[in-house]
Amino acid sequence: MDENGEPLKMIGTIIDITNEREREDLLLGREQKFRMLADSVPQLIWTADAQGDFNYFNQSVYNYTGLNESEMNKGGLLCFTHREDKAKFMKLWSDSIDTGIDFSIEHRLLNTAGEYRWHLSHASAQKDIMGNIQIWVGTSNDIQNQKTFTNELEKQVQERTAELVQKNDDLVKMNIELRSFAYVSSHDLQEPLRKIQMFISRLNETEEHAFSKNTKDYFTRINVAANRMQALIVDLLDYSRTNTLDKVFMNTNLEDLAQEVINDYKEVIDEKNAVIELFDLCEVKGIPFQLRQLFSNLIGNSLKFTKKGTAPHIVIKRANIKEKVINEKSKNPDKDYCHISISDNGIGFDAEYETRIFEVFRRLHSNIEFQGTGIGLAIVKKIVENHEGTITAKGTKGKGAQFDIYIPEL
C-alpha cells in the first residue's frame, strides 16, 4: 500500500504441500480401510475422541440397535445401555478418560428385538509419541451365553453347597449319636455282662457241688459267651473311637510306644518264650494313643497266632523311603515316609486274604482255635489311614506273616 492506502503491488508465496496431501490421503485411506474392516465383523466396534465423545460405530452396532447415525451420536453406547448399568458405565468411562487406563465393563445392551443381552465392552487409548491420547478404540462382545452358563453354574454350586452343609450337619449329628452309642457300649451294655459273669462266678464258688456235669458245662459255655460278648463290645468301642475322637497330632517316638506295648505283654512273652527284636524306629507326627493301640494289636496278634511247639519270634524294624516307592503315580514322589515292618513266624495265612484281612469281623480261624472278634486289624487299618499312611499284609500259611506300615515322617 502507498501512503494514501492505495495498493501498489501483491506479494505471494507458493508452498509445496505434496507431502502433507500425501499424508492426508494416506490417513484417509487407512480410515476407509479401518471402516471397511470394522463393518465386516460381527463384533460391535466403536471409537471416541480424547475427551471421550463417541464419534464412530461400525455397521454391526446399527444392525444390533436398529438406531441411525444421528441417534447414536447423541448418546453413544449409553443410549442403549440398561439403566441399571449406566451409572457404573459412566464412572468407569470417566476414570479411563482421566487416567488413560483401559476401559472394561460387563453391561447389558438393548437389541432390535427389545432384549437386553450381556456384553463385555473394552476400549484402549491410542497415543502419539508424546503420550497424548488421540483416539479411543473399543469393542463390545456378546457374552450372554457365558453369563447364562456362569449363572447356572453358580446356582448349581450354591445348591450343592447347601446340600453339603446339610450333609455335614447330618454327619455331625450322626457323630454325636455314635459317641452316645460308644458311651452306651462302654457302660450300659457291659453292665449286664458283668452281672452275668459275677453270678456265674458265685454259683461256681457256692453251688458247684450241686451241679451235674452237664450243668457245669452249660455254665462254662455261658461264661465263655459272655467274655466273647464283652471283648466284642470293647473292640467295637475302640473301632468307633478311631473315627470320632478328636485327632490331636504330636511328635511321637514309635520305638518308645513299641517298647511300652512289649512291656505290657511281658507275662505272655515269658509264658511262650517269645523273642521280640526291636530295631531303631522313627519319630512321626501322630496320635499317640492310636499308634500305641496299633502296636498292641499287631504284636498281640503275633503272640496269639503261633504254631504249637514253636516259640514266637517277632521282628519290628524300620526303613526310610520315598513316596514314589509306595505309589509310582504319586504327585509328591520325594515325600519321606517311615516304613515299619512287623513280621513273625506264626501260622500265617493264604495270600488270597492279604487285602480282605483288614475287613471288620474278618476272621481266618475259628474261636475254638484262637479267640478274637475280627476287629483288631480293621482298627489297625483305620489308625494308619488317620495318619495319612497305608498298610499292607503278606503271609504264607504255616510260615508266618508280615505287616508293612507306611506313615509320613516329620
Side-chain angles (χ1 to χ4, degrees):
M1 301 291 185
D2 62 14
E3 56 189 17
N4 296 319
E6 297 294 330
L8 294 176
K9 58 183 176 181
M10 304 218 22
I11 299 174
T13 61
I14 298 177
I15 301 175
D16 189 339
I17 59 170
T18 301
N19 292 338
E20 285 75 4
R21 288 299 299 270
E22 287 178 350
R23 279 195 291 271
E24 288 178 5
D25 291 342
L26 180 61
L27 290 173
L28 181 61
R30 288 179 176 176
E31 183 178 350
Q32 290 175 341
K33 181 180 288 188
F34 166 76
R35 290 173 179 266
M36 180 182 68
L37 290 173
D39 287 338
S40 67
V41 297
Q43 284 81 11
L44 310 185
I45 298 177
W46 43 271
T47 63
D49 60 24
Q51 290 71 44
D53 296 323
F54 297 97
N55 52 22
Y56 167 76
F57 300 93
N58 73 340
Q59 187 59 43
S60 293
V61 174
Y62 298 116
N63 294 339
Y64 179 85
T65 63
L67 302 177
N68 57 40
E69 185 175 352
S70 174
E71 292 170 322
M72 288 299 304
N73 288 336
K74 289 180 181 179
L77 289 183
L78 283 174
C79 65
F80 61 105
T81 293
H82 195 286
R83 60 185 177 83
E84 294 178 1
D85 301 330
K86 285 186 178 181
K88 182 180 179 182
F89 185 101
M90 293 173 65
K91 174 67 169 58
L92 293 176
W93 183 236
S94 177
D95 290 345
S96 293
I97 298 303
D98 292 340
T99 62
I101 62 174
D102 285 1
F103 167 77
S104 184
I105 185 177
E106 290 184 2
H107 61 134
R108 289 159 288 185
L109 297 176
L110 183 66
N111 62 17
T112 55
E115 173 191 13
Y116 280 100
R117 293 182 64 84
W118 282 97
H119 284 70
L120 172 61
S121 292
H122 182 272
S124 297
Q126 308 300 308
K127 303 176 183 179
D128 60 20
I129 57 175
M130 302 299 293
N132 299 313
I133 298 175
Q134 300 298 301
I135 189 173
W136 287 87
V137 179
T139 61
S140 297
N141 293 304
D142 191 316
I143 59 170
Q144 183 64 47
N145 292 339
Q146 297 95 307
K147 201 75 174 178
T148 300
F149 173 78
T150 300
N151 291 339
E152 181 62 28
L153 185 60
E154 289 178 352
K155 179 182 176 182
Q156 292 180 10
V157 168
Q158 290 174 353
E159 292 174 352
R160 183 58 178 160
T161 300
E163 290 177 8
L164 290 174
V165 169
Q166 182 60 48
K167 288 183 178 180
N168 187 60
D169 291 341
D170 293 341
L171 283 174
V172 171
K173 292 177 182 178
M174 290 174 63
N175 228 2
I176 295 173
E177 291 174 359
L178 188 57
R179 293 190 183 193
S180 298
F181 169 76
Y183 177 82
V184 171
S185 298
S186 61
H187 295 83
D188 298 354
L189 290 180
Q190 292 191 65
E191 184 59 29
L193 289 175
R194 282 192 286 268
K195 288 185 177 180
I196 291 172
Q197 292 166 324
M198 179 185 68
F199 286 126
I200 289 175
S201 177
R202 288 184 180 178
L203 285 171
N204 282 330
E205 291 173 358
T206 61
E207 307 293 335
E208 184 180 9
H209 63 279
F211 293 160
S212 66
K213 183 179 180 181
N214 285 340
T215 303
K216 292 180 180 179
D217 182 53
Y218 293 151
F219 274 118
T220 300
R221 292 186 182 186
I222 292 172
N223 199 38
V224 170
N227 290 337
R228 283 184 56 201
M229 185 63 183
Q230 189 175 44
L232 179 60
I233 290 173
V234 171
D235 282 351
L236 282 173
L237 180 60
D238 288 340
Y239 186 76
S240 69
R241 280 175 174 167
T242 62
N243 291 297
T244 60
L245 288 180
D246 294 333
K247 300 173 182 178
V248 180
F249 289 80
M250 60 182 66
N251 294 354
T252 307
N253 189 307
L254 296 182
E255 185 164 358
D256 291 344
L257 287 184
Q259 190 60 60
E260 288 176 12
V261 171
I262 292 172
N263 292 337
D264 290 342
Y265 282 109
K266 186 176 185 306
E267 289 75 15
V268 179
I269 293 171
D270 292 342
E271 179 187 339
K272 295 194 173 187
N273 294 318
V275 175
I276 300 181
E277 294 184 77
L278 178 62
F279 295 94
D280 181 33
L281 299 187
C282 51
E283 190 171 301
V284 299
K285 201 169 190 65
I287 310 169
F289 88 91
Q290 287 194 6
L291 292 172
R292 193 179 192 283
Q293 187 175 26
L294 179 148
F295 281 110
S296 181
N297 286 7
L298 291 177
I299 294 174
N301 277 357
S302 292
L303 291 171
K304 180 195 300 183
F305 299 108
T306 58
K307 293 180 289 188
K308 290 183 180 180
T310 302
H313 183 196
I314 304 169
V315 178
I316 305 173
K317 58 184 179 180
R318 75 94 184 259
N320 299 93
I321 63 170
K322 300 292 186 180
E323 186 169 327
K324 59 187 175 184
V325 178
I326 309 170
N327 181 10
E328 293 180 355
K329 298 180 180 179
S330 170
K331 295 181 179 179
N332 192 8
D334 292 325
K335 185 176 181 179
D336 292 318
Y337 274 75
C338 180
H339 171 206
I340 306 156
S341 68
I342 301 177
S343 58
D344 61 50
N345 62 341
I347 60 175
F349 55 86
D350 289 329
E352 62 180 292
Y353 295 107
E354 287 181 354
T355 55
R356 297 165 59 191
I357 198 172
F358 295 105
E359 298 173 4
V360 178
F361 300 124
R362 171 63 64 181
R363 288 180 49 81
L364 307 185
H365 312 282
S366 68
N367 272 312
I368 297 176
E369 295 178 280
F370 302 97
Q371 293 184 356
T373 61
I375 301 176
L377 289 180
I379 293 175
V380 167
K381 186 173 188 293
K382 179 59 67 176
I383 290 172
V384 173
E385 290 174 348
N386 286 346
H387 290 77
E388 298 182 358
T390 59
I391 182 171
T392 61
K394 56 186 176 183
T396 304
K397 194 168 184 179
K399 295 185 178 181
Q402 177 172 318
F403 291 88
D404 292 288
I405 303 160
Y406 304 91
I407 297 178
E409 287 195 16
L410 291 175

